[in-house]
Amino acid sequence: FVRRAGRERRLTSREWEGRELLARGASTAEIASKLVLSASAVRVHIASIVHKLEVTDRTAAARLFHQRPGT
């Protein structure tokens, strides 16, 4: 679960994997290769992550990953 604006949002396990790779600076193509997905599927996952985390873009989503306590 991720808490944003007092609400809990549930990321799927695939979204968590994608978010971790985003936080490491991976490109869409690199994420697609690592997760064995098409680039368009990765873009859908990233859009979902951005929406659920209520951030403006993939960079902001990655930044949140680094701000979590204990990471």
Side-chain angles (χ1 to χ4, degrees), residues 44-66:
V44 169
H45 282 301
I46 292 170
S48 180
I49 292 166
V50 166
H51 174 75
K52 288 179 180 180
L53 297 179
E54 299 176 355
V55 294
T56 56
D57 56 28
R58 64 191 285 151
T59 303
R63 199 173 310 122
L64 281 177
F65 188 83
H66 293 295

Side-chain angles (χ1 to χ4, degrees), residues 2 4 9-22 31 35 42-58 60-62 64:
V2 176
R4 295 291 294 157
R9 301 288 180 131
R10 183 184 298 248
L11 296 181
T12 66
S13 60
R14 215 49 160 165
E15 290 168 345
W16 277 109
E17 291 173 313
R19 185 172 174 225
E20 183 177 339
L21 292 167
L22 276 176
I31 295 169
L35 299 182
V42 169
R43 285 190 285 277
V44 169
H45 282 301
I46 292 170
S48 180
I49 292 166
V50 166
H51 174 75
K52 288 179 180 180
L53 297 179
E54 299 176 355
V55 294
T56 56
D57 56 28
R58 64 191 285 151
L64 281 177

